Amino acid sequence: MGYKKKLTILLALTGFLGAVYVGSLVFDPERVNTRDASYRWLDPEQAGRADRIEISRPGEEALTLVRNNGGWFVARENAEYPAKEGRVEDFLRFFTTRASFPIRSASAASHERFGLTEAAAARIVIRAGSASLLDLLTGNGDALGRDLYLRRNSQDEVRSGEDRVSSYLNSAPSSWYMLRLFPETGSLSPDAVQRLTVSLPPNEEGEAGGTYTLMRDGGNWVREAGGVLDNPKVESYIRAVIEAEGEDFVPDMEPGDPVFTEGAITLSLGDGSTRFIRLGPVLESGSRGATVSGSSYVYALAAWTVNRIFRDAAEFGTP
């Protein structure tokens, strides 16, 4: 066989083997499945336009989040309550992050098995104005409890992925609320407080509580009536007041109602401004209604929160 003929055969064989190799890479089932598994439900730019999120589950109260003036709110009982911005952002991040969501079925007949019929599934709708950006159904978890089955509403294709969304779907509406009494974290700190006046609520016998004032004197905290206090204890107490949270909002009370006279804390700041918390009566739940300066909401304070921030002056005694 001549040299040229051998070379031609070798080149042809090399080309054939190369084509087979490339084809094995392109059409290998495992590689195809891996490529198809990389998926995201919502484009991040679209998510940035979202102004309404609706979450519903069979037999449960639906939850609606709305965006107004750049902030997220929980729309409930004909009112809107401030939502935790970070929680909403983390929730949206699940849908905008590309991750492994392999296809498990493309048949409508499988929807019942995966808990993805419209009657059985939880539903998440993300909107921008009148446009629906995402309409997603979430169904059962897998046998190991790690993955969740999902499909777009009106589509048959079923995918699965790490379950990082059920905790949001199964939580109470109040878990979405921003319930910090003083949400201006950073601008309000113990260092900014120069004076603190506390009017204690009535005791269990109904007897009126006393009133005391703590104030800075140079580098020390002192009682207005006299007596140097334990600085770390006072600073820790002020931090507890600043970081206090309610356990819910009270929809049937208004901050202007004349009932918030059963205790108060007033913080006087170095810039001349003040912040206050005013207590109302004990509610049926055992918590107390409370109003806060600058807020149009009434908060429900758990009994342990009231005890934590309305402390007797003797607790800050001389070090």
Side-chain angles (χ1 to χ4, degrees), residues 43 102 136 209 233 235 252 281:
D43 184 271
L136 185 68
K233 286 184 178 180
E235 296 284 341
D252 56 352

Side-chain angles (χ1 to χ4, degrees), residues 1-290:
M1 184 182 294
Y3 172 76
K4 290 185 177 180
K5 188 173 183 179
K6 286 183 179 180
L7 181 60
T8 301
I9 293 173
L10 287 173
L11 290 174
L13 181 60
T14 301
F16 172 75
L17 292 175
V20 170
Y21 176 71
V22 171
S24 69
L25 292 179
V26 173
F27 298 106
D28 176 63
E30 185 175 345
R31 292 179 64 89
V32 171
N33 186 58
T34 300
R35 185 172 65 249
D36 288 345
S38 180
Y39 188 79
R40 66 183 175 200
W41 299 96
L42 183 63
D43 184 271
E45 291 186 8
Q46 287 187 311
R49 296 168 41 223
D51 57 16
R52 186 178 182 89
I53 303 172
E54 300 163 3
I55 301 172
S56 58
R57 294 179 296 152
E60 301 291 338
E61 178 186 358
L63 175 76
T64 300
L65 301 164
V66 295
R67 184 184 244 163
N68 288 328
N69 298 319
W72 284 98
F73 294 82
V74 179
R76 191 180 181 198
E77 299 178 0
N78 299 318
E80 292 183 359
Y81 301 101
K84 296 175 182 174
E85 298 287 330
R87 182 176 174 85
V88 179
E89 290 171 4
D90 288 344
F91 182 67
L92 288 172
R93 193 172 294 116
F94 171 80
F95 308 105
T96 59
T97 300
R98 187 174 293 279
S100 178
F101 290 100
I103 297 172
R104 298 305 184 186
S105 173
S107 170
S110 68
H111 293 173
E112 185 172 359
R113 173 163 57 94
F114 290 120
L116 286 169
T117 62
E118 291 189 26
R123 184 181 181 190
I124 302 162
V125 183
I126 301 175
R127 303 183 187 275
S130 59
S132 175
L133 304 178
L134 178 66
D135 190 346
L136 185 68
L137 300 179
T138 68
N140 301 331
D142 69 354
L144 298 178
R146 293 185 304 209
D147 286 354
L148 185 70
Y149 297 109
L150 312 98
R151 75 176 176 93
R152 293 180 185 273
N153 199 9
S154 77
Q155 294 186 14
D156 291 338
E157 184 179 270
V158 175
R159 290 179 180 264
S160 68
E162 181 183 356
D163 186 3
R164 293 186 289 112
V165 72
S166 288
S167 60
Y168 294 97
L169 303 182
N170 298 329
S171 58
S174 59
S175 68
W176 295 88
Y177 291 156
M178 167 52 79
L179 289 163
R180 283 281 299 264
L181 302 187
F182 299 110
E184 60 262 48
T185 304
S187 61
L188 180 60
S189 66
D191 291 341
V193 179
Q194 302 298 308
R195 184 183 182 93
L196 174 76
T197 299
V198 180
S199 296
L200 297 172
N203 60 24
E204 294 181 357
E205 288 72 36
E207 299 172 341
T211 297
Y212 64 87
T213 297
L214 311 180
M215 54 193 298
R216 290 188 188 273
D217 182 13
N220 295 315
W221 279 97
V222 300
R223 290 190 183 92
E224 188 178 42
V228 177
L229 303 175
D230 186 325
N231 281 1
K233 286 184 178 180
V234 176
E235 296 284 341
S236 176
Y237 169 57
I238 294 173
R239 184 172 290 104
V241 172
I242 291 172
E243 296 178 354
E245 295 187 13
E247 60 179 358
D248 206 341
F249 291 106
V250 185
D252 56 352
M253 299 182 76
E254 297 290 338
D257 292 344
V259 295
F260 298 101
T261 57
E262 300 198 9
I265 297 174
T266 302
L267 306 174
S268 300
L269 309 185
D271 62 4
S273 64
T274 60
R275 306 287 190 277
F276 66 75
I277 303 170
R278 291 176 182 160
L279 281 186
V282 177
L283 307 173
E284 290 184 7
S285 62
S287 57
R288 278 186 181 269

